[in-house]
Amino acid sequence: MRKNKHKLLTISILFTLATGVIYVINRIIFATAALKNLLHSSAKNFYNWRFGNIYYQKKGSGSPLLLIHDLTVYSSAYEWNQVIDELAKQHTVYAVDLLGCGRSEKPKITYTNYLYVQLVCDFIKNVIHEKTDIAVCGYSASFVLLACHSEPDLFGKLLLINPPAPASLNKAPGKRSKLYKFLLEIPVFGTLIYNMKSSQSNVQLLFTEKYLYNPFHITPELIDTYYEAAHKDFGHSKFLLSSICGLYTNNSITHALKNINQSIVILTGEAEPDGEEIAHTYTELNPAVETCTLKRAKHLPQLETSEDFLETLNIYL
């Protein structure tokens, strides 16, 4: 009996020590990731939304253009860094950090597609105050389409950069995805898993394999900025990642896409996996959708081939 008690006490002490060590490691990772403060902000640059403060940049004058980055824990308005000044010469440009991303607040909630539908609509109503053209990248195109279908009077032209395959958005949360979400949200240990998944080497791998056509276009600033975005606010971005892994950010866009009357243009990087097939799926659902392929580009043409990207955007805006 005493031996069992001694074993339990030893296990408890070791577990407590391990938890303490991991906690300290996590805090060090978050502190060092933000040392360069590449994603600096000021108090005047926030929209006080009901679910959390939303960071945004506003530049230029002219017809409004809202820039929305891809929905990942690494992404922020920095995604538009190479094109925002040029776009501001003809438009009043707004570039946001979505809730759970970059400099915006990162509440401990389940992030859903409809949450971002509300965010886009509320931002246009309360900050822009007029009908707005949208340029949106990646997965975020899904909730922009749903927002446009929900409140069409708020939206002008839609430019979708490498949007997701509609079929991929039909997957609903299941036992496995809910388990992933649960594991990531465990205090300390879930945070350690998050830090391992969002390590600097994994950020570099992401750019090398998925984001850029030419991996030699990767810069230290690019890697550091994306790495910092994933670690601001001491790991609260893990709740966004857990929601994405849990498939809670999925929502079918088929009905919305079929019934939207706004001008929709899909810009696809020539090296984007299945890019042409995905664009073809969109045109099948809505024959009015226009498509364009950007040469020497992959997932983030606005960062990699900014001049060609701007020329294409000016054609359609």
Side-chain angles (χ1 to χ4, degrees), residues 36 195 198-205 220 223-224 227 231:
K36 294 182 180 179
N195 281 331
S198 59
S199 66
Q200 200 160 21
S201 60
N202 282 342
V203 175
Q204 185 162 359
L205 192 65
I223 299 299
D224 289 343
Y227 180 64
H231 292 85

Side-chain angles (χ1 to χ4, degrees), residues 4-303:
N4 289 336
K5 286 184 179 179
H6 181 71
K7 286 181 180 179
L8 287 172
L9 181 61
T10 303
I11 291 170
S12 297
I13 292 171
L14 291 173
F15 179 78
T16 302
L17 287 172
T19 303
V21 170
I22 292 171
Y23 175 81
V24 171
I25 291 171
N26 287 334
R27 300 293 288 191
I28 291 171
I29 290 172
F30 295 133
T32 54
L35 277 177
K36 294 182 180 179
N37 195 26
L38 296 168
L39 293 171
H40 54 273
S41 59
S42 61
K44 67 178 182 179
N45 286 43
F46 285 88
Y47 161 47
N48 186 19
W49 193 43
R50 61 184 181 273
F51 292 108
N53 291 327
I54 304 300
Y55 173 86
Y56 70 96
Q57 300 176 42
K58 179 183 178 182
K59 290 188 175 185
S61 59
S63 59
L65 173 63
L66 176 58
L67 306 178
I68 302 176
H69 61 77
D70 199 356
L71 186 62
T72 76
V73 294
Y74 312 102
S75 303
S76 67
Y78 180 86
E79 190 175 287
W80 308 98
N81 194 49
Q82 300 296 319
V83 298
I84 189 169
D85 288 337
E86 193 65 30
L87 289 171
K89 293 177 181 179
Q90 299 181 45
H91 304 276
T92 303
V93 181
Y94 300 82
V96 301
D97 285 3
L98 295 169
L99 192 73
C101 302
R103 291 149 287 197
S104 289
E105 202 163 336
K106 301 175 179 180
K108 300 177 182 180
I109 61 174
T110 295
Y111 293 80
T112 66
N113 198 285
Y114 185 64
L115 177 78
Y116 291 109
V117 169
Q118 295 176 76
L119 171 56
V120 173
C121 291
D122 288 347
F123 188 85
I124 294 173
K125 288 177 193 172
N126 300 321
V127 178
I128 301 178
H129 304 296
E130 59 180 307
K131 194 170 187 176
T132 303
D133 294 335
I134 310 280
V136 56
C137 184
Y139 194 95
S140 298
S142 63
F143 58 77
V144 168
L145 287 168
L146 291 171
C148 180
H149 180 255
S150 174
E151 300 195 49
D153 292 342
L154 299 176
F155 296 84
K157 297 176 181 178
L158 306 181
L159 294 107
L160 316 180
I161 304 158
N162 293 312
S168 69
L169 300 168
N170 296 332
K171 299 175 183 177
K175 289 182 180 179
R176 181 177 294 183
S177 65
K178 288 178 181 178
L179 177 61
Y180 294 155
K181 184 176 187 294
F182 171 77
L183 291 174
L184 274 169
E185 293 181 358
I186 295 173
V188 183
F189 292 95
T191 306
L192 178 64
I193 295 171
Y194 173 78
N195 281 331
M196 292 168 66
K197 288 180 69 68
S198 59
S199 66
Q200 200 160 21
S201 60
N202 282 342
V203 175
Q204 185 162 359
L205 192 65
L206 193 66
F207 275 94
T208 302
E209 295 191 346
K210 294 186 177 181
Y211 282 174
L212 300 185
Y213 176 84
N214 184 350
F216 291 104
H217 288 160
I218 299 173
T219 64
E221 181 183 320
L222 195 60
I223 299 299
D224 289 343
T225 304
Y226 271 65
Y227 180 64
E228 180 181 316
H231 292 85
K232 287 183 78 71
D233 291 344
F234 295 97
H236 288 176
S237 287
K238 75 175 186 177
F239 293 96
L240 171 58
L241 181 61
S242 71
S243 297
I244 293 171
C245 291
L247 305 180
Y248 288 88
T249 53
N250 279 359
N251 202 346
S252 175
I253 61 171
T254 301
H255 177 73
L257 184 58
K258 286 180 178 179
N259 291 280
I260 288 175
N261 292 319
Q262 271 79 357
S263 171
I264 301 175
V265 179
I266 294 178
L267 306 182
T268 304
E270 70 167 326
E272 181 74 359
D274 304 318
E276 291 187 8
E277 291 82 354
I278 292 171
H280 180 66
T281 303
Y282 279 75
T283 58
E284 283 185 330
L285 292 169
N286 187 333
V289 171
E290 298 179 78
T291 64
C292 177
T293 300
L294 298 172
K295 300 296 184 182
R296 299 178 302 280
K298 202 169 185 180
H299 192 68
L300 297 176
Q302 63 271 40
L303 275 177

